Amino acid sequence: MARAHLFELIRIRNLTLANRIIIAPMCQYSAEDGCMNDWHLIHLGKLSLSGAALLTIEATAVMPEGRITYADVGLWNDQTLAAMALTLESIRRWSDMPIGIQLSHAGRKASTEVPWKGGAQFDPAHELGWATVAPSAIPYHQGAAIVPAALDRDDLRVIRNAFAVAATRASKAGVDLVQLHAAHGYLLHQFLSPLTNRRQDEYGGSLENRIRFPVEVFEAVRAAFPAEKPVSVRLSATDWVEGGLELDQILTLSQALENGGCDVLHISTGGLHPDQRIPAGPSYQVPFARAVKQVVKIPVVAVGLITGYDQAEAIIGTGDADMIALARTIIFDPNWPWHAAAHLGAKVRVARQYLRSQPGRYRDLFESE
Ligand SMILES: Cc1cc2nc3c(=O)[nH]c(=O)nc-3n(C[C@H](O)[C@H](O)[C@H](O)COP(=O)(O)O)c2cc1C
């Protein structure tokens, strides 16, 4: 059988990934004052044994106002750093899977209830809520009572710095890769989209101006994170709304990020506007990853409804993307990479405690840590 492309090594800066399967960031809404706890150890610990190449920690707030909910993980002080360092230290004792983290600020989508309690946005006066901020004073829901405050120049400096300091903390906690969250309608995406950015200053208007703040934040993070460790950016390639952000603008931004030293681009879509109409289906975001890949040399990650082993293999094999990321797919089947390797006749890394668990009908499936 020909060698599976999905299980080829890839090197990103000084980081070697064992295959092309990435665990996408997934918010757990289970932190206390931004601190990880034993849920994160169980959840991330489980995924760290899956045989994927990289585990990405959920959207992590760089400052308390930047949380989506009161239960988001953060990295804004010594306590949040200590909690994360402890969690990662435990995982590292038993798994050598590289660990990335997504750094985020929710902007106008901040201050909401956790999803399983309805996810509604809190009034800033509510004991669990706070006042939100955004590039412009435009709420997520048209006519909503809760309007974000437009950020001024000093605020931008503070937020940029918070991203950089959080990147430093992430490295201290043992994180191997930082991903900047500029997708799904959160603050950096709000700067990119003409629907949410109506600023009159040098951070709004033309595309050059709208990409300015996200690029500045990227540069600050790149400068703060150790030079040998990679930095990635997650982008929404379209808003799926008339008049919103479109692919051609993301191509320009992708090239700007590559020129600024970005190591990986992770291409998603949507999340900015309640009127979005997403034609979701298998691989529906892959054409956007393919388009980005045609204009940059750095590796590109595709994500979204990738569930099949042959589907994943084809995305890598045809060159549509260099890696695939899985979210729901790997929660549904935490050993998805094992099954993919078995199906494609490849090998997968496994903890030594599981070596004897190799299913009888798959010979030589497991590689020891
Ligand atoms: C429970 C859950 C939490 C998520 N949290 C995040 C997040 O923290 N950051 C992010 O960029 N995307 C987040 N997403 C989106 C996923 O990373 C992914 O892009 C999306 O689910 C599509 O991949 P899938 O079809 O494999 O689920 C989340 C998705 C799920 C299901």
Side-chain angles (χ1 to χ4, degrees), residues 23-29 57-60 68 102 104 179 181 183-184 186 234 266 268 284-285 303-307 325-331:
I23 300 172
M26 279 177 275
C27 285
Q28 300 298 297
Y29 309 112
I57 296 170
E58 66 190 85
T60 297
I68 305 166
Q102 185 182 55
S104 185
Q179 177 180 87
H181 198 357
H184 301 170
Y186 297 109
R234 197 173 215 202
H266 190 135
S268 186
Y284 73 103
Q285 296 178 143
V303 66
L305 288 177
I306 300 168
T307 55
L326 307 176
R328 290 164 293 185
T329 302
I330 205 154
I331 295 297

Side-chain angles (χ1 to χ4, degrees), residues 49-236:
L49 302 175
S50 68
L54 176 73
L55 172 61
T56 315
I57 296 170
E58 66 190 85
T60 297
V62 299
M63 51 206 293
E65 311 84 283
R67 290 173 297 173
I68 305 166
T69 78
Y70 51 84
D72 286 19
V73 170
L75 259 186
W76 59 73
N77 59 15
D78 290 347
Q79 286 73 31
T80 51
L81 167 58
M84 188 176 292
L86 193 65
T87 306
L88 299 194
E89 196 182 304
S90 299
I91 294 172
R92 296 277 195 207
R93 279 185 67 199
W94 304 108
S95 166
D96 64 358
M97 186 182 291
I99 299 177
I101 190 170
Q102 185 182 55
L103 296 181
S104 185
H105 189 302
R108 71 175 190 165
K109 284 175 74 174
S111 182
T112 66
E113 183 51 281
V114 295
W116 51 83
K117 291 186 182 171
Q121 195 157 38
F122 288 118
D123 186 289
H126 190 282
E127 59 172 346
L128 294 174
W130 59 90
T132 58
V133 296
S136 304
I138 306 170
Y140 180 71
H141 290 289
Q142 220 183 358
I146 308 149
V147 178
L151 293 160
D152 69 21
R153 211 169 270 271
D154 281 343
D155 300 327
L156 294 187
R157 190 179 38 75
V158 170
I159 292 173
R160 199 165 44 227
N161 191 44
F163 269 99
V165 175
T168 308
R169 290 199 180 103
S171 186
K172 282 190 191 148
V175 166
D176 302 300
L177 172 151
V178 158
Q179 177 180 87
L180 207 57
H181 198 357
H184 301 170
Y186 297 109
L187 183 70
L188 299 181
H189 184 177
Q190 291 159 29
F191 271 88
L192 297 173
S193 177
L195 297 173
T196 38
N197 183 345
R198 301 275 168 75
R199 297 176 71 95
Q200 307 287 330
D201 63 3
E202 73 268 36
Y203 291 101
S206 66
L207 177 62
E208 191 189 353
N209 283 356
R210 281 183 280 121
I211 71 173
R212 193 180 307 280
F213 187 61
V215 169
E216 283 179 6
V217 171
F218 168 78
E219 285 168 350
V221 164
R222 182 58 282 175
F225 202 52
E228 72 279 7
K229 296 188 183 186
V231 177
S232 147
V233 180
R234 197 173 215 202
L235 298 169
S236 281

Side-chain angles (χ1 to χ4, degrees), residues 251 255 287-298 300 319-320:
L251 298 182
Q255 290 173 319
F288 296 98
R290 177 171 58 227
V292 171
K293 204 170 147 45
Q294 278 159 10
V295 300
V296 297
K297 294 192 187 64
I298 53 176
V300 173
D320 280 349

Side-chain angles (χ1 to χ4, degrees), residues 299-347:
V300 173
V301 183
V303 66
L305 288 177
I306 300 168
T307 55
Y309 317 128
D310 291 324
Q311 179 192 5
E313 172 64 10
I315 291 167
I316 309 302
T318 58
D320 280 349
D322 300 283
M323 285 171 277
I324 54 139
L326 307 176
R328 290 164 293 185
T329 302
I330 205 154
I331 295 297
F332 184 69
D333 179 4
N335 284 341
W336 191 95
W338 295 17
H339 297 289
H343 180 78
L344 297 168
K347 279 178 171 289

